[in-house]
């Protein structure tokens, strides 16, 4: 199982070795690597110096200044911004999706562009969002995307829409989401020094439906990587872009 792949196609191609299936919890796109500011769509377009500045502003939570920097830089780009970004994302997806083994079950992260996934996903990749599937005799539920933030990443939705998808999944053995439940220890990033957005609806569903596992990613360096909530083992499966190592779920 992997999450937050962020352009790591090389290790993704080996992630499913020895497993019955690979599960991906999203964030295939690399817009900007906070560990290496030379990697990603943003530095490719605007250079490392501007990437350094953007990371500095976002880390300091100076989001309006970060948006102003972005507006200034994009004003100097020929062509429609959305079209430029989509072209870059298409290039990354063209490298990432062929690396998925068969079978792969995947849902979207908050930096992904869902409208492109079905175009790139091969026959061995099943894309799920607000849906259930049986894998190895167990029922898995998938909910993709993130909640709205000041970062304004591509696939952020309202709390109400997210809660509806959690409700649609219902009772499952394994609840797979991109973002964690809203628990301080699970949503705090110790390197970025900020609380990411977790889902209260997901936390409520864990209390109510008691899945055996709640699996997620999104927070790259969490204060706690796993925690038991009642009968449910909650696990951040890891920042795959950084580690290159999948997390194994064994029954």
């Amino acid at each position: 199982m992997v999450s937050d792949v962020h352009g790591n196609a090389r290790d993704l191609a080996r992630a499913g070795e020895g497993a019955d299936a690979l599960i991906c919890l999203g964030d295939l796109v690399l817009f900007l690597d906070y560990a290496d500011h030379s990697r990603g769509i943003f530095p490719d377009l605007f250079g490392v110096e501007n990437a350094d500045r953007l990371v500095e502003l976002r880390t300091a939570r100076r989001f309006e200044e970060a948006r102003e920097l972005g507006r200034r830089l994009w004003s100097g780009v020929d062509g429609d911004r959305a079209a430029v970004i989509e072209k870059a994302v298409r290039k990354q997806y063209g490298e990432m999706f062929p690396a998925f083994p068969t079978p792969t079950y995947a849902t979207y992260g908050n930096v992904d562009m869902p409208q492109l996934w079905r175009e790139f996903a091969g026959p061995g990749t099943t894309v799920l969002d607000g849906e259930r599937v049986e894998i190895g005799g167990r029922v898995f539920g998938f909910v993709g995307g993130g909640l709205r933030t000041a970062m304004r990443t591509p696939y952020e939705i309202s709390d109400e829409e997210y809660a509806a998808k959690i409700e649609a999944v219902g009772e499952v053995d394994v609840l797979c989401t991109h973002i964690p439940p809203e628990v301080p220890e699970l949503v705090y990033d110790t390197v970025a020094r900020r609380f990411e957005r977790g889902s209260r609806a997901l936390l409520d569903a864990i209390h109510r439906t008691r899945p055996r596992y709640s699996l997620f990613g999104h927070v790259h360096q969490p204060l706690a990587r796993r925690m038991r909530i009642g009968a449910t083992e909650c696990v951040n499966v890891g920042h795959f872009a950084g580690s290159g190592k999948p997390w194994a779920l064994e029954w």
Side-chain angles (χ1 to χ4, degrees):
M1 183 169 299
V2 299
S3 185
D4 300 87
V5 180
H6 295 302
N8 190 352
R10 180 193 62 191
D11 291 323
L12 184 61
R14 300 192 295 266
E17 290 179 357
D20 295 324
L22 179 70
I23 292 175
C24 178
L25 303 182
D27 272 8
L28 300 184
V29 172
L30 179 61
F31 188 75
L32 175 58
D33 188 334
Y34 277 57
D36 179 355
H37 303 169
S38 68
R39 298 181 64 243
I41 294 171
F42 188 91
D44 286 349
L45 290 170
F46 304 119
V48 177
E49 185 176 334
N50 285 314
D52 290 341
R53 180 60 176 159
L54 183 67
V55 170
E56 178 187 354
L57 292 171
R58 285 183 169 180
T59 301
R61 303 187 67 80
R62 293 156 62 183
F63 295 118
E64 187 50 49
E65 291 177 68
R67 284 193 286 272
E68 179 54 37
L69 173 64
R71 284 190 288 267
R72 179 171 57 80
L73 293 172
W74 280 105
S75 68
V77 173
D78 292 332
D80 177 68
R81 174 176 177 171
V84 171
I85 292 176
E86 181 174 319
K87 181 180 179 181
V89 171
R90 283 180 175 276
K91 182 176 183 297
Q92 291 191 9
Y93 281 169
E95 297 168 355
M96 303 300 295
F97 277 94
F100 278 137
T102 297
T104 289
Y105 300 89
T107 196
Y108 317 113
N110 60 292
V111 302
D112 286 311
M113 298 180 69
Q115 66 271 27
L116 300 181
W117 274 42
R118 297 196 185 276
E119 176 183 340
F120 284 90
T125 298
T126 302
V127 179
L128 301 135
D129 188 17
E131 299 163 283
R132 302 149 52 102
V133 67
E134 185 176 308
I135 306 172
R138 307 285 180 171
V139 179
F140 288 67
F142 290 80
V143 175
L147 298 173
R148 289 176 181 155
T149 70
M151 303 285 277
R152 299 181 182 176
T153 51
Y155 191 41
E156 294 181 354
I157 60 177
S158 70
D159 289 59
E160 293 76 16
E161 185 178 351
Y162 195 90
K165 291 195 294 184
I166 292 287
E167 184 68 24
V169 165
E171 294 187 15
V172 295
D173 298 306
V174 184
L175 188 48
C176 299
T177 59
H178 177 67
I179 63 174
E182 191 181 82
V183 176
E185 295 88 342
L186 298 177
V187 301
Y188 185 73
D189 191 305
T190 59
V191 174
R193 301 192 303 277
R194 65 169 179 258
F195 290 96
E196 303 289 356
R197 284 214 64 191
S199 169
R200 181 70 199 187
L202 172 57
L203 179 60
D204 290 345
I206 290 169
H207 284 297
R208 185 177 67 255
T209 66
R210 299 164 60 87
R212 183 169 177 179
Y213 287 96
S214 167
L215 305 176
F216 47 87
H218 186 57
V219 182
H220 293 178
Q221 299 91 14
L223 187 61
R225 292 201 173 274
R226 61 193 305 157
M227 173 185 294
R228 180 165 287 275
I229 299 176
T232 303
E233 188 72 17
C234 300
V235 182
N236 184 318
V237 303
H239 177 219
F240 187 76
S243 70
K245 298 177 181 178
W247 183 83
L249 174 62
E250 299 179 352
W251 297 108

